[in-house]
Structures are given as C-alpha cells and as structure tokens.
Amino acid sequence: MSEIPPTDDSRLVSRENFQELLADAKLTIPESEHNDFRVLLSALDEAAKHLLQLDDEQPTVDLELYPRINIHIPDGKDTDKGGWATKVTVVCTKPKNSLLAGRTVALKDNIALAGVRCLNGTPPVGDAWIPTVDATVATRVLDAGATILGKAACENGCFGGVSDTACTGPVDNPWAPGYSTGGSSSGSGRLVASGQVDLALGCDQGGSIRLPAAHCGLVGHKPTWGLVPYTGILSLEATIDHVGPMTKTVADCALLMDVLAGYDGMDDRVPRMVKHGSLGFVKGIEATLGKKEKPLEGLKVGILKEGFESSRMDPGVEKLVRAAAAKFEAYGATVTTCSIPLHTESAPTWMCALPMAGMRQGILGDMTGRKQLFMTNRIQKTDGLLSQAAFDAYGPGGQNTFLRGRFLQKKYGPALHARALNLMRRLTDEYDKAFAEFDLLVMPTAPMLTQKTMTREQKVAEEAGPLRLLNRNLGVTHNTAPFDFSGHPALSLPIGFASPADDPGVKLPVGMQLVGRQYEDLVCLQAAAVWERENDWQTIYAGDL
C-alpha cells in the first residue's frame, strides 16, 4: 500500500463524490485545489480499505474454560414473570478463586456474553446481536466460581423507569403483582428478589440499579464512576456509565464488589492504580460489624434537605426514610440536616446533557474518543441517523432521546452540552463541599412508590401515547441521576414498606439512598451493613410509624 496513490484520475475519489462531500459540508474549495484534495482523500481511502482487511483486535473467549450450556429463549412459563430474556448455564472449569463458589448470577441484558443473544430490551432489526466477547464483569464472576444462569430482561434501550417496555414483555414486581420493578435493570431486580438467582448485575446511568433495588427490596450499589470496568457492556453515555451489584444483603453486595472492582487494562474509565482484588470491601464491613458498641462512632451523616423536595414525594416514603436515617445516631453516628440547593436544579441540566451525548453513543453506537473495547460486530454505518425500522424498534424513551438529541444539536449545537457539563461539574463541587463536613448524605432512593405496569393490550386500548407513557417517569430519578453525573458512590438499602394512597391493601418496598465521597464506597457499605444488622426491614411499615 503506497502512502499516496497514483494521480491517474480513474484511481482517485471521483469528481462527483468529491462534489457531494463539499455539498454535504456546505463548503466551497477553489477549483484549482480539487485534484489535490482528491489525491489526499484517495490515500486515506486506501488506508481505510487496508485497515478493514486486517483482523480485528478482540479478546477471545476460551469456551473450554468457560463453556456455555443449554442456551435457550425461555417460553412463557419459564421467564419468571418477565425476569429472564435468555437463559444459559456458564461456569468456569478452573476458577481463580472461590469467592462466589456455589452462587448463581444473572447479567443485565446489555452485558456481553459470547454466543448468547444480547437484546438490550429492544426488538432486533434483522438478526439479534450475538456478542463474540465476554464483558469483564462476566469473566470476573466466573473466575470467582459463580454460575451465570442467563440474561436478565431490561427496559427498551435501557431508557425506561417503569418495567413494561422490554421487548420480551413486562417484568412483574415480586412483592406486588401488576406493579413495576422499576427500571431499567428490571429483570435483575426481579430475579434476585424472587430467588431465581443469588446475585445480579445491573447498569446505572440515571438510577437503573438503585431504582429497581428500591422497588424490589434489594441492596443496589452504583459504584464510584470508574471503579468497576464497563468493558463489553452497551453504553448509554461513557461519563455516566456504571455497572454494579444487586443483592439481597449488604454482605453479598460487598462480596460482589470485591470480585468486580479494579482496572482491567481496557476501560479508560478505570484508573490504573485501582488494582483488581485489592479493595477489601468484605473485610471492611466485617471490621465495622465486629465493633460491639457504637460501630459507626465518628461517622457524620447529613440528611439532604433537597432530597425530600420532589413534587412527587410520597408521605409514606418520607416517613420511612427519616425514621431510618435517625437510627444512625443509635449506632454512634451524628445525624443532622444539610442543604445543597443546587441538587434540585440537576433535573433540567441532566435533561439537556444526556440526549446530546446519549444519542451519539447510546443510540448510534458512536463511542469514538474513548480508549476501550469496541464491539465492532455491532457497529453499523448510520451517518448520524436512525433507519425508520431502528427508530420504530425503540420505545418512546429511546425515540424521545434520539429526537431530543437531534433537536438540541441542530438548534443549540455543542455549546449547550458544554454548558450543561460545566453546570454538572459545579453540582459535583457542591457535593464535595458537603463531604468536607459529612461522610454520608442520606435521602430517599426514589421519592415515590413504584407504580402499576401496563400490558401492550392496555396501551393500545387506552391509546397511551409517548407523553402519557413517559410522564410516568417524571421525578423518579430526582435523587439518583445527579450522582451518575457526579460519579459519587450511591447505595440503595431496603428499609420497609409503604402503601399507595389509591391501593392501601398493597405494601411496596422503599429504599434509602446512602451517598459517599468518591472512592469511599466502603463507607456506604459499612453504614448500610450496620443498619441492616440492627433492623429487619421486612417488619417495618410506614403505616405503623
């Protein structure tokens, strides 16, 4: 391959193609320079063709070490009321350790598992995508002796907070049939809470680990941004991508964090100095629980005033969270109210920041600018647009994100996204100022209780359009989304039940969110472990307080 191809006109980028290039870019170039640029572009074209002939650089999966058995799509009786998208059995024949020996795991269905379809909650346009790689987190749980039992259903494109948008069907709340598990890691929440698996992995860009955890009575931890590798997972937007554990207990959450966290050599989100297996979360909570009296002595807890100021704040949720937070004093902590006024301003900032980058990365699959593993067998040429079939396959959440991104891009350009990110940095600084005084911030995970799902038939019969369907999500991420942008660790802990005003016979789980300093995930886990030991959350009901 020569650097500059021959200047023979027949070998160059055609005059017509060059003119189209200029027209698309709305540019003019002097006629005398056209041939020079055609030669330069032809050299580039030769390089591109050569590159595409080379073997791709992808990790290989040793199927003798990690065999896949009985891959199948569950039938209507085998989905655990919507929890499963695809089932399989995967083990490591020579695990590196036994941390998860005998434990079963479900992966959210945006996490790559070679040879197993990955739907991302969206009906495939053509053949379903079948990854050829395993995500780092999948390999790590297998190396720790766990058995992966399949892919947990997730909401369409991971854009839903109510669990009835997945292409595989609604996911039913295990505590209250007909109610949502929350989203978008809906199947992960369902499968752990219903006992189908011991542990699950979820992904969180606006609350998608913590919200299903809160609504299903689980511990759900969104780690510090960049603590757990996102390698081999479909991204929504790299600066807010998180993957983490969803478990029944804090101890299991800490154990899974020990297995997952640390640099993997591929994901540029993870600092090199964070070595895999070096963080000692289990030892840390065991040390705290070993203190017989006042195990949280010296801990300063701030109850975030603005965390209770959502327009959709449920009185039962507020009552439970305030009562649960006050109990930290009995365990040795000091508990006072704190205020971060900018917290309530995060919603419009997040609303503008997410679509512009999320459209390009999450919907169009353009992850350029990152140092990471690119799953090239999924990347398609889009020219910045979706086909009609691909647009139709998304539910209202993905369609809205795409249209919002296009609208903001065309009307305001990159200056708006830059302003939004600067304001999010200001909010991050405000949280960090609070953490100069407090070790933890406490607030409701979700300000409201979970809501009823709608079947496809109900949506059609009631002519439920995008506005009605998307309005169900309003306010639910009031306390979760800000910490995706700020990157602080945030854990949802189950603290009791409350009943919706219009359905008093139903009891729904409520979660309390604990937020810590960046890379102090252990503090969240320690406080949660003490509260969990001292309280049986399943016996606590807001109506009794």
Side-chain angles (χ1 to χ4, degrees), residues 100-415:
L100 298 180
R103 313 302 292 277
T104 55
V105 177
L107 307 179
K108 183 178 181 179
D109 199 23
N110 66 337
I111 300 174
L113 190 64
V116 180
R117 70 174 187 170
C118 187
L119 297 174
N120 197 32
T122 306
V125 179
D127 295 331
W129 177 53
I130 298 180
T132 58
V133 299
D134 283 352
T136 295
V137 291
T139 302
R140 286 182 174 175
V141 298
L142 293 170
D143 283 341
T147 299
I148 292 175
L149 292 184
K151 307 296 290 296
C154 64
E155 298 312 295
N156 192 317
C158 296
F159 289 111
V162 182
S163 63
D164 57 17
T165 71
C167 64
T168 48
V171 183
D172 218 21
N173 191 296
W175 295 96
Y179 278 83
S180 171
T181 63
S184 62
S185 304
S186 47
S188 295
R190 163 87 203 176
L191 294 172
V192 176
S194 70
Q196 288 279 305
V197 292
D198 301 314
L199 317 161
L201 301 186
C203 300
D204 195 313
Q205 287 90 0
S208 291
I209 288 173
R210 292 159 288 163
L211 294 173
H215 294 323
C216 291
L218 300 177
V219 179
H221 184 56
K222 181 201 76 65
T224 298
W225 183 80
L227 189 61
V228 177
Y230 208 79
T231 303
I233 307 175
L234 297 181
S235 172
L236 182 55
E237 205 272 273
T239 64
I240 58 173
D241 287 333
H242 302 76
V243 57
M246 299 173 71
T247 63
K248 284 189 175 180
T249 67
V250 177
D252 277 351
C253 187
L255 177 62
L256 201 44
M257 282 296 296
D258 274 336
V259 169
L260 298 175
Y263 185 62
D264 73 342
M266 287 182 278
D267 185 2
D268 66 1
R269 301 167 183 81
V270 187
R272 287 179 178 269
M273 66 283 298
V274 181
K275 294 183 178 180
H276 178 224
S278 68
L279 298 174
F281 293 109
V282 169
K283 290 182 179 179
I285 65 168
E286 287 177 347
T288 297
L289 292 173
K291 301 175 183 177
K292 294 184 179 180
E293 295 184 5
K294 296 186 177 182
L296 298 181
E297 188 170 16
L299 189 76
K300 296 180 179 179
V301 176
I303 300 176
L304 183 63
K305 171 179 173 288
E306 289 77 13
F308 296 83
E309 294 181 351
S310 166
S311 61
R312 299 189 69 183
M313 191 73 236
D314 182 273
V317 172
E318 180 171 5
K319 185 185 294 186
L320 280 170
V321 174
R322 290 193 183 279
K327 292 182 178 181
F328 283 121
E329 286 194 341
Y331 316 141
T334 58
V335 181
T336 56
T337 298
C338 68
S339 177
I340 305 175
L342 202 58
H343 181 78
T344 57
E345 295 297 321
S346 64
T349 308
W350 187 77
M351 186 185 299
C352 292
L354 174 62
M356 296 184 76
M359 176 194 69
R360 179 175 65 84
Q361 297 181 30
I363 293 180
L364 299 176
D366 179 6
M367 294 296 296
T368 52
R370 310 298 310 190
K371 290 183 177 180
Q372 62 172 44
L373 172 66
F374 291 88
M375 293 173 282
T376 48
N377 71 332
R378 189 176 184 270
I379 297 172
Q380 298 178 350
K381 187 174 182 291
T382 64
D383 294 324
L385 297 171
L386 280 180
S387 69
Q388 186 64 53
F391 181 81
D392 291 344
Y394 277 111
Q399 293 171 345
N400 187 44
T401 299
F402 179 75
L403 293 176
R404 282 183 171 189
R406 293 284 297 179
F407 174 79
L408 295 176
Q409 185 181 61
K410 291 181 72 67
K411 184 166 185 178
Y412 298 103

